Amino acid sequence: MNRADERMEELESARVRESNKRMDASGGAGTGNHADESAGDAGNGFRSMTKHVRSRLIAHFGLRLVLAGVALVLCTIAIFIWMSGKVLEIEMNRDFSKAGVSKLGQSMRWADGSFYFDEQMLERVRNENGWIQVLDEEGNVVHSLYAPPELPGAYSIGEIVSYWQHPYNFPFPYDLYLWVNEIDGRRFTLLYGIEPEAKRVLRLLGEIDASDARQIVLSDELADAIRQSGLQVQLLDAAGREVRSFNRFDARLPHAYTLSELALRSVYSERYQARVVFEYQPDTGMTWVVTAPYAEAGTEAGIWNTELGVLLTALLVLLAASVALFSGLSVWYANRFGTPVLHIIHWLQHLADGKLSEPLNRRGRSPSRTAGGKLRRRFRLFSNVIASLTHLTRTLRQNEEMRRQLEHTREEWITGVSHDLKTPLTSIKGYAHMLEAPDYSWSDDEVREFAAIVPVRRMDKKA
């Protein structure tokens, strides 16, 4: 090959290199635009996925919190109903006449031409020595239970109202309580009457001459009634000082009463846990005071058997229910949402360590999918994240495979190039050793012959 051919080859190589540069520049610019578009699409997809996951989390957590609030409200209502019933029971134990008549009236029903009541309420009526009468709108008695024979069979309007508003009026020595029910379009009035033992004892004490307190002697019947009923009797003078007492066992009872003390004890009996009735005798200026402690219906007295105890119990139960509810929600949320999040973090760490696959559980199965390939229930809330991780894992695996193929191709190319360069270089090296050998003296013609052979072999190798 002459110098002209070599020059043409060099020019052609330069032209090819310049063309390749222009193509690379054009292709590079197009690749950059596509990369920008791909980056924009990826950014929009990420924002859409983030918005979707956020919306699902808000809806899911919001629904659970609403359900927890509803459960807490229902629990509060149940506690309030229990508290109301408990307070009513305490009131009934203290004084069935005031609190029990409403429950007795609510249990009243009409069937088979007669009135019926709750059996437990009737038992309480019998134990209290009370009686029941049911009146129609005209005041006629249409039904009665445990009624004394001296009670009338019909009442006038003014008579029944007088007995109700002014109890313990002779000859009607009963406390009277009313409850009105409407049954089958007709209005019936329930009368519950009782003569409390304290008032009966007070009526008998009022028949005793109290002008000389030292001369007062109680009959055996009256003394037995006072002791058996657990009553405490005091006789006060005009100044409110105690001058005589019978069966006095409570040290908290005052020995002298002021106007306010006697008034408070008679009106606010709940505060003193005892009912107080009294009768003033104008002719002697003396006052009989009878104190009847509240009965607890077989339970021990204490703060838990009072309204305050019921309120404290209700608050403690509500607090315990709230703690249990929110603790349960916390454990449930930690188990339901913590497991997918921890699996996602483990998956990312797996990818960071070069393990291009989803981490498996101890059984060698995917924690996020069933055997059929469907997402498990607890992972469905993060379905977008799981899909993105699956796509990322697949893409990284494909990129790794392409990298390995490219590395293999590069190694093959380097091997070929090395082989192509090795043969001409060997020839050049051999002729160079021959020319520099001191044992031989080469002529100018031989040197030019060697110089002509080397480029020919190089061109042969290129061809």
Side-chain angles (χ1 to χ4, degrees), residues 89-109:
E89 182 181 350
I90 292 174
E91 291 293 333
M92 289 172 56
N93 291 335
R94 287 176 178 169
D95 192 345
F96 180 81
S97 303
K98 293 181 179 179
V101 65
S102 60
K103 195 170 183 179
L104 183 64
Q106 292 171 1
S107 71
M108 184 174 67
R109 58 187 179 87

Side-chain angles (χ1 to χ4, degrees), residues 17 51 66 98 100 132 149 161 234 240 268 281 283 295 308 441 463:
R17 287 194 299 269
K51 183 178 180 181
V66 169
K98 293 181 179 179
I132 295 174
V161 173
Q234 295 173 286
Y268 300 103
Q281 295 183 340
D283 52 344
L308 179 60
S441 178

Side-chain angles (χ1 to χ4, degrees), residues 96-97 122-133 145-148 151 174-175 191-196:
F96 180 81
S97 303
L122 292 181
E123 182 66 23
R124 293 295 299 272
V125 171
R126 286 193 295 267
N127 294 336
E128 297 289 334
N129 295 321
W131 51 266
I132 295 174
Q133 284 185 326
L145 287 172
Y146 322 123
L151 291 179
Y174 302 101
D175 286 349
L191 300 184
Y192 172 71
I194 185 174
E195 183 181 17

Side-chain angles (χ1 to χ4, degrees), residues 364-376:
R365 301 176 182 177
S366 170
S368 62
R369 298 185 181 275
T370 62
K374 295 183 179 180
L375 276 177
R376 298 185 186 275

Side-chain angles (χ1 to χ4, degrees), residues 78-302:
I79 292 175
F80 179 78
I81 294 175
W82 171 84
M83 185 171 61
S84 301
K86 192 66 177 178
V87 170
L88 180 60
E89 182 181 350
I90 292 174
E91 291 293 333
M92 289 172 56
N93 291 335
R94 287 176 178 169
D95 192 345
F96 180 81
S97 303
K98 293 181 179 179
V101 65
S102 60
K103 195 170 183 179
L104 183 64
Q106 292 171 1
S107 71
M108 184 174 67
R109 58 187 179 87
W110 171 266
D112 300 328
S114 182
F115 290 94
Y116 294 89
F117 298 88
D118 182 77
E119 289 297 329
Q120 294 182 351
M121 300 302 298
L122 292 181
E123 182 66 23
R124 293 295 299 272
V125 171
R126 286 193 295 267
N127 294 336
E128 297 289 334
N129 295 321
W131 51 266
I132 295 174
Q133 284 185 326
V134 180
L135 311 181
D136 60 15
E137 295 181 354
E138 288 76 26
N140 299 314
V141 177
V142 296
H143 186 77
S144 65
L145 287 172
Y146 322 123
E150 67 270 13
L151 291 179
Y155 298 86
S156 64
I157 303 299
E159 183 181 17
I160 193 66
V161 173
S162 176
Y163 290 160
W164 176 43
Q165 293 185 346
H166 305 285
Y168 195 56
N169 286 343
F170 186 80
F172 196 83
Y174 302 101
D175 286 349
L176 192 61
Y177 302 89
L178 280 70
W179 184 267
V180 179
N181 265 2
E182 187 169 343
I183 301 176
D184 295 336
R186 298 180 61 188
R187 186 170 294 177
F188 296 92
T189 302
L190 171 67
L191 300 184
Y192 172 71
I194 185 174
E195 183 181 17
E197 188 65 15
K199 285 193 173 183
R200 189 181 74 85
V201 169
L202 183 63
R203 177 167 56 84
L204 296 177
L205 291 172
E207 300 174 357
I208 299 175
D209 182 11
S211 57
D212 188 356
R214 292 172 299 179
Q215 301 297 324
I216 296 178
V217 178
L218 302 182
S219 64
D220 294 338
E221 179 183 359
L222 183 55
D224 291 340
I226 292 174
R227 284 192 298 268
Q228 292 175 3
S229 302
L231 304 177
Q232 302 179 83
V233 178
Q234 295 173 286
L235 179 63
L236 309 181
D237 60 14
R241 294 185 298 268
E242 179 185 301
V243 295
R244 191 71 183 275
S245 64
F246 302 94
N247 198 37
R248 192 183 194 281
F249 54 84
D250 191 352
R252 293 173 297 178
L253 283 180
H255 292 275
Y257 288 84
T258 62
L259 175 63
S260 59
E261 178 75 14
L262 186 58
L264 290 173
R265 285 182 174 272
S266 61
V267 175
Y268 300 103
S269 56
E270 295 83 2
R271 181 184 301 179
Y272 301 94
Q273 294 295 302
R275 185 178 184 183
V276 176
V277 294
F278 61 92
E279 180 181 357
Y280 173 69
Q281 295 183 340
D283 52 344
T284 61
M286 297 292 188
T287 303
W288 287 103
V289 178
V290 179
T291 303
Y294 281 143
E296 296 296 335
T299 62
E300 295 182 359

